[in-house]
Amino acid sequence: MDLVPALQEPLKKVLGPATAKVMAEHLGLHTVGDLLHHYPRRYEERGQLTHLADLPMDEHVTVVAQVADARLHTFASARAPRGKGQRLEVTITDGSGRLQLVFFGNGVHKPHKELLPGTRAMFAGKVSVFNRRLQLAHPAYELLRGDSEETVETWAGALIPIYPATAKLESWKIGKAVQTVLPSAQEALDPLPDTLRAGRGLLPLPEALLKIHRPHTKADIADARARLKWDEAFVLQVALARRRHAETQLPAVPRVPRPDGILTAFDDRLPFTLTEGQRKVSEEIFADLATAHPMHRLLQGEVGSGKTMVALRAMLAVVDAGGQAAMLAPTEVLAQQHHRSVTEMMGELAEGGMLGGAEHATKVVLLTGSMGTAARRQALLDLATGEAGIVIGTHALIEDKVQFHDLGLVVVDEQHRFGVEQRDALRGKGKQPPHLLVMTATPIPRTVAMTVFGDLETSVLDQLPAGRSPIASHVVPAADKPHFLARAWERVREEVGNGHQAYVVCPRIGDEEDDPKKTGRKKTPEDEAEKRPPLAVLDVADQLGRGPLKGLKVEVLHGRMHPDDKDAVMRRFAAGETDVLVATTVIEVGVNVPNATAMVIMDADRFGVSQLHQLRGRVGRGSAPGLCLLVTEMPEASAARQRLGAVASTLDGFELSRIDLEQRREGDVLGQAQSGARSSLRVLAVIEDEEVIAEARQEAAAVVAADPELTGLPALRTALDALLDEEREQYLEKG
């Protein structure tokens, strides 16, 4: 983060090429500074033994224990047929439990001499099960001798740091490497302004680095972590504050709606009143649109909270002010759906230039990649002349050919599905930067909003409009209780019998080649336990049509169908001609069929928490109550089942997004997650450290307001440059 020449020294110069290579490849550590910022995960107290009683399976562990017993056995094997094979079995104990270590072949000689009963050591290896007993095979170990000068020196601290390690590099080897570079910590430049550090009673950076790697007391660790959390939160918030500041320097055309224009006409014809939340958020948006620098607002709202209505009113306000508005959707199905619902809501107000169009009407055009040439040419013409005030489309809107007359507002639906470059390209379509409204139905905990979307002002819609129905959710354990699954199909038939419709969602389409090599994904223990590919739309639809749902009208929908076919399927389903739609997650976002009341999600454990919540939001959109059944074959004790239980237990998307985040860990909040690089957050936990992030945001805003270029804070600039290496710099620039 705060790299200066001593900290920029490559590790291969300091530690030798072999160790440096492993550190670079397996831990992403390249310089002395990187290694100093590779903090211990936890600490072993000298003399306090790790509980062998609760060792995790299949994980690399480090334990401190005492040898209780060591026996050398000989045996015959294919390699040593005359009974010359050797196996050393060592039992270690820590008072809470016992663990067996095994060494084979030539590897037995050294441990046989060193691991005598009574010897204490640190052992590291992967926990496995043999003959129903836990064991470590060929663990690496480090003896803890009280007398040897070097060992006493190495473990001088009362607390032994345990580092995030890999099979190739044990925790104590990392610890030794850290000891080698620790003197360089004295040269670490402190990114925090002195007044801030002193005002909050935080340690100077060199002292914090020393204490996190060589603490003498638990208080040392707490002080060091408190300081290092501030570094991460503050430097990140300064980066975001500088972006917000830069945005306020950009010019934009203020867009103020006419008092008796299309917006007023639209509001007058609404058959219902807006919720309090919709009114409040609309006012925030109108205030932003009226300013001379671009709005950057994130609108988050639960599934069905009426975000589209808020976005449409914002677009109409811009049309009133003489500008154009563009709405970007992540898929063609969704673009077509938005276009349909917007034109329906606007009625004759969407018939600008047509016979029977209202006085203030404008044209609403659709632009997608699969449109016919004539329709496309007409849509492009309407945009270039300004005839069309509103355009709804996919990223086809971004192509060079698309010219706007006067683009004033860009609404992006479901930003997390939309590349940063794409938003940037669309921004360049305006004479001056257009205003930007980003919508998401994935609820984002406040702290994540402050970090991931820290450059956007946030509005939240948390009320559901009147007339929306509750959704009951249940987990269906298909393997443990097959009759539950049979009952699920009966429930679907009952809903259809009552005049309603249902969705069945599957993880896969079913016409792809099942080649495990192609997926390139490592198998998790849960995958291994199943050995079966995820259920597929085409197979399930076929089985249901011939079996439990025989006689009902069942259709399929997936992403690889021709766009016209997809649209036709959606139209039939929306019109009530289809009873059951078997689909992939193409229906996850925005599909609105109020008559659909039931959803069965097959292999629900293959989806993330937020995704399940999104899918579930497709039912219960009318006046009849919704039902969502989460079908899984996972055993009751598995993490996957707990996740599904959490989804079934609450309809609060914000609560679920916290659970989701806790399970996934933060990844890199600056988008590095996509590139597979290591997280930029090492001690800061986005959920637990809400206060630190909120305070750092305030401090950062004050620092940037006083000195936008940070000329008086060179160390902070250095830290910022290191945080925003090129890739992240671009991500932030365009975000």
Side-chain angles (χ1 to χ4, degrees):
M1 213 191 277
D2 25 57
L3 305 182
V4 292
L7 301 196
Q8 274 170 339
E9 187 86 9
L11 286 173
K12 59 172 172 275
K13 278 193 180 170
V14 191
L15 304 175
T19 309
K21 184 168 186 270
V22 177
M23 286 198 168
E25 285 175 8
H26 293 275
L27 297 169
L29 308 175
H30 303 278
T31 63
V32 168
D34 289 345
L35 182 53
L36 286 174
H37 286 295
H38 185 71
Y39 308 131
R41 176 184 288 152
R42 59 190 174 86
Y43 301 84
E44 277 300 345
E45 289 185 58
R46 200 73 195 290
Q48 177 213 322
L49 300 170
T50 313
H51 293 310
L52 291 180
D54 32 66
L55 283 178
M57 273 298 298
D58 279 333
E59 280 191 27
H60 286 279
V61 296
T62 303
V63 297
V64 180
Q66 194 160 15
V67 176
D69 181 34
R71 293 178 189 191
L72 190 62
H73 303 273
T74 53
F75 60 91
S77 70
R79 278 187 171 162
R82 290 205 298 277
K84 293 280 172 61
Q86 290 192 308
R87 180 175 81 245
L88 177 65
E89 291 180 359
V90 178
T91 307
I92 58 172
T93 177
D94 68 349
S96 78
R98 296 165 85 82
L99 178 65
Q100 187 146 29
L101 317 176
V102 284
F103 301 89
F104 292 100
N106 295 336
V108 304
H109 305 308
K110 185 167 175 268
H112 190 214
K113 286 207 292 276
E114 293 182 337
L115 297 178
L116 304 171
T119 309
R120 289 185 72 240
M122 287 175 61
F123 302 92
K126 192 173 185 182
V127 182
S128 58
V129 171
F130 182 70
N131 274 349
R132 291 195 295 201
R133 288 166 66 187
L134 293 183
Q135 70 167 27
L136 296 182
H138 282 283
Y141 61 88
E142 177 90 357
L143 300 180
L144 295 177
R145 299 191 188 89
D147 44 85
S148 139
E149 201 43 52
E150 186 210 8
T151 315
V152 172
E153 185 53 40
T154 314
W155 310 108
L159 295 155
I160 302 165
I162 306 291
Y163 289 89
T166 72
K168 298 269 191 294
L169 202 63
E170 294 85 17
S171 168
W172 55 82
K173 288 189 181 158
I174 298 171
K176 283 184 171 167
V178 170
Q179 298 300 339
T180 310
V181 301
L182 207 48
S184 310
Q186 293 307 328
E187 300 186 42
L189 282 183
D190 201 324
L192 294 190
D194 292 343
T195 48
L196 190 160
R197 197 172 52 70
R200 293 190 173 272
L202 298 167
L203 299 178
L205 182 59
E207 194 183 328
L209 289 171
L210 215 58
K211 283 188 168 169
I212 196 120
H213 291 296
R214 291 189 71 171
H216 290 287
T217 63
K218 286 185 177 171
D220 284 354
I221 301 169
D223 293 347
R225 287 180 68 86
R227 160 62 217 243
L228 295 166
K229 277 180 182 184
W230 256 93
D231 268 22
E232 288 179 7
F234 180 71
V235 175
L236 177 57
Q237 291 300 339
V238 166
L240 294 165
R242 289 187 70 201
R243 267 194 71 197
R244 286 197 302 276
H245 182 269
E247 300 286 8
T248 62
Q249 306 307 301
L250 289 173
V253 180
R255 310 280 178 175
V256 182
R258 293 204 308 263
D260 57 347
I262 190 169
L263 178 61
T264 310
F266 175 76
D267 283 349
D268 289 347
R269 45 169 294 148
L270 276 182
F272 51 82
T273 53
L274 297 175
T275 65
E276 188 53 44
Q278 286 174 318
R279 269 204 297 277
K280 184 174 123 288
V281 170
S282 289
E283 275 158 24
E284 291 171 352
I285 291 170
F286 293 154
D288 283 357
L289 289 173
T291 60
H293 58 82
M295 162 171 85
H296 282 93
R297 192 165 279 283
L298 170 69
L299 171 58
Q300 13 172 356
E302 277 287 14
V303 179
S305 56
K307 292 182 300 300
T308 314
M309 174 60 70
V310 170
L312 177 54
R313 293 184 74 236
M315 295 197 285
L316 295 175
V318 170
V319 172
D320 258 350
Q324 289 169 297
M327 184 180 216
L328 265 77
T331 64
E332 293 208 351
V333 167
L334 196 55
Q336 287 162 337
Q337 169 114 15
H338 275 320
H339 181 254
R340 245 195 327 270
S341 60
V342 163
T343 46
E344 279 167 17
M345 283 197 274
M346 287 175 63
E348 71 255 29
L349 293 174
E351 295 167 4
M354 291 186 238
L355 209 62
E359 180 197 348
H360 299 296
T362 185
K363 243 186 187 179
V364 180
V365 299
L366 176 68
L367 192 61
T368 62
S370 63
M371 281 168 76
T373 320
R376 189 179 171 75
R377 192 177 297 129
Q378 184 59 52
L380 290 172
L381 186 66
D382 288 343
L383 285 178
T385 58
E387 183 88 5
I390 294 176
V391 58
I392 295 169
T394 55
H395 45 259
L397 280 177
I398 296 164
E399 290 169 13
D400 295 341
K401 293 192 209 69
V402 181
Q403 298 298 325
F404 288 87
H405 176 65
D406 178 14
L407 180 60
L409 169 68
V410 176
V411 178
V412 179
D413 193 18
E414 292 305 327
Q415 187 268 336
H416 61 283
R417 297 166 168 259
F418 215 82
V420 168
E421 286 77 12
Q422 295 163 314
R423 276 204 284 164
D424 207 37
L426 193 64
R427 249 186 216 177
K429 298 269 182 197
K431 297 186 177 75
Q432 287 191 336
H435 298 280
L436 176 69
L437 179 65
V438 172
M439 300 198 295
T440 177
T442 308
I444 303 162
R446 174 169 166 254
T447 44
V448 182
M450 284 193 289
T451 45
V452 183
F453 298 104
D455 60 314
L456 301 172
E457 299 300 328
T458 306
S459 298
V460 178
L461 274 178
D462 45 15
Q463 282 172 290
L464 288 186
R468 288 297 300 264
S469 304
I471 305 170
S473 307
H474 304 283
V475 178
V476 177
D480 312 350
K481 299 179 177 160
H483 60 286
F484 276 37
L485 183 58
R487 175 73 187 117
W489 302 126
E490 281 173 25
R491 283 291 290 114
V492 170
R493 292 192 83 99
E494 286 164 16
E495 289 297 315
V496 173
N498 290 332
H500 298 301
Q501 292 158 281
Y503 297 99
V504 177
V505 182
C506 305
R508 228 166 35 104
I509 296 173
D511 57 359
E512 55 279 271
E513 289 171 37
D514 287 326
D515 182 353
K517 290 194 196 79
K518 283 190 182 159
T519 62
R521 196 168 65 86
K522 280 208 181 98
K523 283 202 158 93
T524 66
E526 288 188 353
D527 290 344
E528 287 294 344
E530 302 178 295
K531 291 281 195 303
R532 111 175 138 60
L535 290 170
V537 165
L538 300 176
D539 307 341
V540 169
D542 185 46
Q543 288 160 13
L544 291 175
R546 285 184 293 136
L549 302 185
K550 194 172 179 182
L552 301 186
K553 180 106 173 60
V554 178
E555 288 210 69
V556 299
L557 178 70
H558 59 74
R560 280 212 292 279
M561 288 164 62
H562 186 278
D564 290 348
D565 296 341
K566 277 195 277 199
D567 197 40
V569 168
M570 271 318 297
R571 277 176 190 276
R572 285 196 293 274
F573 190 64
E577 293 164 24
T578 308
D579 298 323
V580 179
L581 187 62
V582 182
T584 55
T585 54
V586 289
I587 61 151
E588 176 187 347
V589 180
V591 172
N592 184 23
V593 180
N595 191 46
T597 52
M599 175 177 286
V600 181
I601 303 178
M602 306 303 289
D603 278 345
D605 47 89
R606 311 269 180 146
F607 300 97
V609 170
S610 294
Q611 201 174 22
L612 290 168
H613 183 58
Q614 288 286 327
L615 286 165
R616 169 171 63 186
R618 302 296 118 221
V619 294
R621 299 179 77 86
S623 53
L627 172 69
C628 178
L629 301 174
L630 307 167
V631 179
T632 177
E633 291 187 1
M634 278 300 173
E636 197 161 354
S638 62
R641 272 285 282 281
Q642 288 167 352
R643 205 167 63 231
L644 297 179
V647 175
S649 69
T650 177
L651 290 172
D652 181 342
F654 286 92
E655 178 55 33
L656 287 173
S657 68
R658 286 181 80 98
I659 294 169
D660 197 19
L661 198 70
E662 279 160 6
Q663 291 194 331
R664 280 187 297 126
R665 305 276 159 75
E666 279 82 16
D668 185 328
V669 296
L670 288 192
Q672 280 289 80
Q674 284 90 314
S675 66
R678 196 160 59 94
S679 164
S680 67
L681 296 188
R682 297 181 180 85
V683 281
L684 191 71
V686 171
I687 282 193
E688 291 151 31
D689 297 319
E690 186 164 337
E691 249 169 73
V692 175
I693 293 171
E695 289 172 17
R697 184 178 163 106
Q698 283 180 332
E699 294 275 10
V703 164
V704 171
D707 180 5
E709 291 305 308
L710 309 179
T711 35
L713 299 163
L716 178 54
R717 278 228 64 130
T718 311
L720 212 53
D721 294 343
L723 174 72
L724 306 181
D725 52 38
E726 242 168 84
E727 190 178 350
R728 294 197 197 135
E729 182 72 82
Q730 286 174 354
Y731 182 85
L732 275 179
E733 273 306 307
K734 295 175 181 166

